[in-house]
């Protein structure tokens, strides 16, 4: 009888040890997978500042895809160019307006790409209305030809955004992610 009790205890201890080892291995695999996914495929980003209002507010939390082909109107996370005179390594969130080779003309709050008017429904907001009511344009007037390998990016809150109209076009390799999902705040969860 004592032999059976000892054998039963050994089996229980072996079972508990195997269970703990299985849990540890599973946690290492899960954490490793999360690390690989968020290091090479996705990025977890936080909006800092008002330059993309009202589309994004300060402290919004976003998921971005790292490998993408930039298209017009994509919202992207980018490494701030040196010309922005920001903290080294600073990340910005902006909207792609101009692609390589595009001629961009902004005149009287209307944007033209290669002679065609660009629809910008995201600019129909209280900030633009306040500027227009005060007799100001929301988007500065400018003309620019985007060089090959570069992109023209702008914030949605045009009159305060530090973007390409200040620091110029952005190299493709500085566009580090395309925003695909906002998960915070919960009442504004949305895919892009």
């Amino acid at each position: 009888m004592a032999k059976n009790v000892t054998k039963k205890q050994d089996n229980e201890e072996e079972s508990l040890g195997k269970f703990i080892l299985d849990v540890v291995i599973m946690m290492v695999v899960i954490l490793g997978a999360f690390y690989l996914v968020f290091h090479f495929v996705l990025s977890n980003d936080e909006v800092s500042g008002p330059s993309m209002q009202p589309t994004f507010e300060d402290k919004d939390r976003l998921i971005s895809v790292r490998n993408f082909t930039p298209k017009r109107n994509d919202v992207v996370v980018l490494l701030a160019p040196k010309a922005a005179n920001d903290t080294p390594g600073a990340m910005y969130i902006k909207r792609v307006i101009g692609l390589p080779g595009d001629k961009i003309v902004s005149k009287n709050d209307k944007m033209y790409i290669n002679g065609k008017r660009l629809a910008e429904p995201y600019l129909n907001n209280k900030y633009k209305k306040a500027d227009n009511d005060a007799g100001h344009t929301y988007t500065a007037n400018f003309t620019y030809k985007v060089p090959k390998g570069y992109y023209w990016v702008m914030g949605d809150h045009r009159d305060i955004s530090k973007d390409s109209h200040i620091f110029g076009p952005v190299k493709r390799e500085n566009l580090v992610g395309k925003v695909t999902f906002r998960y915070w705040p919960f009442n504004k969860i949305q895919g892009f």
Side-chain angles (χ1 to χ4, degrees):
M1 190 91 163
K3 229 180 189 185
N4 286 342
V5 171
T6 305
K7 191 174 184 180
K8 188 176 179 183
Q9 284 176 339
D10 288 344
N11 285 342
E12 285 176 3
E13 287 175 11
E14 185 178 310
S15 229
L16 180 61
K18 184 177 180 334
F19 172 75
I20 291 172
L21 181 61
D22 287 348
V23 167
V24 168
I25 290 170
M26 177 106 50
M27 291 303 292
V28 167
V29 168
I30 289 171
L31 291 174
F34 269 102
Y35 172 78
L36 291 173
V37 166
F38 279 96
H39 190 71
F40 295 108
V41 180
L42 301 176
S43 177
N44 181 18
D45 302 299
E46 181 177 343
V47 176
S48 177
S51 73
M52 283 297 288
Q53 288 176 323
T55 308
F56 297 104
E57 297 290 339
D58 191 43
K59 305 292 185 216
D60 282 4
R61 298 295 302 200
L62 314 167
I63 299 292
S64 304
V65 175
R66 290 187 183 271
N67 298 311
F68 69 104
T69 301
K71 294 180 182 69
R72 194 175 329 282
N73 287 323
D74 283 350
V75 176
V76 296
V77 176
L78 61 116
L79 183 61
K82 288 180 185 173
N85 294 322
D86 210 328
T87 308
M91 303 298 264
Y92 289 174
I93 295 176
K94 304 293 177 195
R95 187 177 300 274
V96 174
I97 300 297
L99 305 175
D102 281 348
K103 181 181 178 190
I104 304 170
V105 176
S106 175
K107 187 170 183 172
N108 300 324
D109 274 342
K110 293 174 180 63
M111 189 76 65
Y112 300 89
I113 308 293
N114 303 321
K116 295 181 182 178
R117 180 141 181 234
L118 176 66
E120 297 181 287
Y122 42 83
L123 295 184
N124 294 329
N125 58 57
K126 65 183 179 184
Y127 307 108
K128 181 177 188 284
K129 184 175 177 356
D131 275 5
N132 292 162
D133 288 349
H136 305 291
T137 57
Y138 190 55
T139 305
N141 292 336
F142 65 87
T143 299
Y144 191 82
K145 173 93 169 160
V146 183
K148 187 176 181 178
Y150 286 81
Y151 293 81
W152 190 266
V153 297
M154 298 186 80
D156 288 356
H157 196 160
R158 295 282 168 82
D159 59 346
I160 65 167
S161 178
K162 186 190 282 188
D163 54 33
S164 286
H165 85 279
I166 292 172
F167 53 69
V170 178
K171 290 180 181 179
R172 170 58 185 102
E173 58 263 22
N174 287 352
L175 301 180
V176 296
K178 175 186 170 187
V179 175
T180 57
F181 188 70
R182 173 179 32 215
Y183 67 90
W184 181 263
F186 289 132
N187 65 337
K188 288 180 148 186
I189 289 176
Q190 180 181 1
F192 294 92

